[in-house]
Amino acid sequence: TSLSNNIINTIAKDKYGNLWVGTDDGICVYKISSQKFKRYLTGQRIRCDQILLTSTVELLLETSSGIQQYDETKDIIEVYGEDPSIELDITGIAEGARQMLWIGTDRGLIQIDMKTRKTLSNYPTAEFSNMHIQRMMCDADKRLWIHVRNKGLFVYDTYSQKTVDLTHIFPNYEYFHSLATDSHGNIWVGTQHGIFIFDRTLNLKEHILQDFSSTANLNDNSIYAIYEDRSENMWIGTYFGGINLFVKGFENIKVYSYGSSSKHLKGKAVRQILENNETELWVATEDGGLNLLNRKTGDIRQFALHNGSGNSPYNIHSLLKDRNGKLWIGTFSQGVYTYDARTNHTESYNSLK
């Protein structure tokens, strides 16, 4: 069976190593055992934006029709518990402390007990009562980073159930796209206005902005991807300036910008960064396809993904490595590709096959 739709929003891996693909029209799973795709919720124009594997290895899906769950016994996808978000616009889901599921919506924050699947409270704190949550992400300490429209940034600790108001630092016009916790517990927040770096106690350590006169600053303010490599270097993917690299122990930022030479990326808009091995990084761009960056030599090559027609996709949305080291590549309108480095083989899957 082929994919249900060629617009790929997310790819995730379950406990068995199966690959789940969220599309603009349903969810598909690639079964490792059969090496075939199976479709769910297709033909209903249900969009899947996020796939969450919980601590109890439940598979939950953020969709345009509320939170859905995969029932392994029945092999079906169905509405999760008493999901009150089914009529709301969901902007994020996350598992917090004590097996609680948190759902950010356009009308506030919803809390569901994952043990009983009962809704405990629609608005656990006054800051989020009937508020439009534009973005919600969870950090390594189970704190929810929440951007409320016309207010700004708040951090809600799901352990202590206390809220920290960061609106004085992070004004209401800001919107964050990416969030990462580094090896030292610092939280890096990527926005349209540079990077905000907070320590574990939520004190602002640094706000780094675009400044072409200094090599200690960014070459672009729009931050869409943040990735820490095995050497604790921070790789920052921007929307107009390629990659900005913070090398551990150095003040200056190394830039891998867009260009035509072997030292340049083939796209400006970086969507995701993923380590391939000790020396190479995969870089997914929205305007230059898949790039392979060699950290030792600085060489970058555009990696061609052919689907038989000779057209390699330029708009890459997601990257994931499976248990066998095969790279899965989700595109904007050309389905899913896989690349096996051991055999140098590329395979494509789309709604037409």
Side-chain angles (χ1 to χ4, degrees), residues 1-4 27-29 37-42 351 353:
T1 304
S2 61
L3 291 174
S4 56
I27 297 102
C28 304
V29 60
F37 272 104
K38 182 172 182 178
R39 300 177 179 181
Y40 300 91
L41 303 180
T42 59
S351 61
K353 292 182 71 175

Side-chain angles (χ1 to χ4, degrees), residues 83-98:
D83 179 19
S85 68
I86 198 162
E87 300 296 328
L88 305 178
D89 180 16
I90 301 173
T91 52
I93 60 173
E95 180 181 354
R98 294 178 286 274

Side-chain angles (χ1 to χ4, degrees), residues 155-317:
V155 179
Y156 180 72
D157 190 321
T158 63
Y159 282 103
S160 67
Q161 300 180 20
K162 294 181 179 179
T163 302
V164 176
D165 186 337
L166 296 178
T167 56
H168 61 291
I169 297 173
F170 204 97
N172 61 33
Y173 60 80
E174 285 289 4
Y175 182 83
F176 70 93
H177 298 282
S178 49
L179 183 79
T181 305
D182 67 22
S183 299
H184 302 280
N186 300 309
I187 302 99
W188 296 57
V189 185
T191 77
Q192 287 289 109
H193 198 57
I195 299 170
F196 293 78
I197 304 174
F198 296 86
D199 66 17
R200 189 165 245 150
T201 58
L202 303 182
N203 293 308
L204 181 65
K205 294 181 66 176
E206 199 169 1
H207 179 201
I208 306 170
L209 289 161
Q210 178 184 28
D211 183 356
F212 293 115
S213 66
S214 170
T215 55
N217 288 76
L218 300 166
N219 75 333
D220 179 37
N221 275 333
S222 300
I223 312 301
Y224 275 64
I226 305 173
Y227 182 81
E228 183 182 32
D229 68 19
R230 64 187 71 191
S231 301
E232 300 183 5
N233 303 312
M234 301 299 292
W235 297 77
I236 311 300
T238 73
Y239 202 74
F240 299 104
I243 288 176
N244 288 234
L245 170 61
F246 291 76
V247 179
K248 183 183 178 183
F250 290 86
E251 182 179 338
N252 292 341
I253 297 172
K254 183 175 177 56
V255 173
Y256 295 93
S257 58
Y258 167 79
S260 57
S261 82
S262 63
K263 303 293 184 183
H264 288 87
L265 289 167
K266 304 308 178 281
K268 300 176 183 177
V270 176
R271 183 68 176 250
Q272 190 178 343
I273 302 165
L274 181 69
E275 268 187 292
N276 182 40
N277 52 43
E278 290 182 0
T279 59
E280 294 176 321
L281 286 166
W282 292 108
V283 182
T285 74
E286 293 189 4
D287 56 345
L290 185 63
N291 289 236
L292 188 61
L293 187 154
N294 188 303
R295 283 177 285 194
K296 286 188 175 179
T297 65
D299 289 336
I300 305 170
R301 69 182 177 101
Q302 191 177 44
F303 200 84
L305 298 166
H306 297 299
N307 58 6
S309 66
N311 297 320
S312 187
Y314 265 66
N315 194 336
I316 310 293
H317 273 200

Side-chain angles (χ1 to χ4, degrees), residues 67-86:
I67 305 301
Q68 308 278 334
Q69 64 176 343
Y70 174 64
D71 187 315
E72 187 178 340
T73 305
K74 300 176 184 176
D75 192 26
I76 61 171
I77 288 178
E78 58 191 4
V79 173
Y80 183 71
E82 303 174 333
D83 179 19
S85 68
I86 198 162

Side-chain angles (χ1 to χ4, degrees), residues 4-5 7-12 20-29 40-42 44-52 59-69 77 90 93 271 317-318 331:
S4 56
N5 189 272
I7 298 177
I8 310 303
N9 300 316
T10 185
I11 305 177
W20 291 79
V21 180
T23 79
D24 258 20
D25 183 16
I27 297 102
C28 304
V29 60
Y40 300 91
L41 303 180
T42 59
Q44 304 174 54
R45 303 305 300 174
I46 294 177
R47 187 187 70 252
C48 176
D49 290 318
Q50 185 182 347
I51 301 170
L52 176 68
L59 198 73
L60 303 182
L61 307 111
E62 174 201 326
T63 77
S64 54
S65 186
I67 305 301
Q68 308 278 334
Q69 64 176 343
I77 288 178
I90 301 173
I93 60 173
R271 183 68 176 250
H317 273 200
S318 51
T331 74

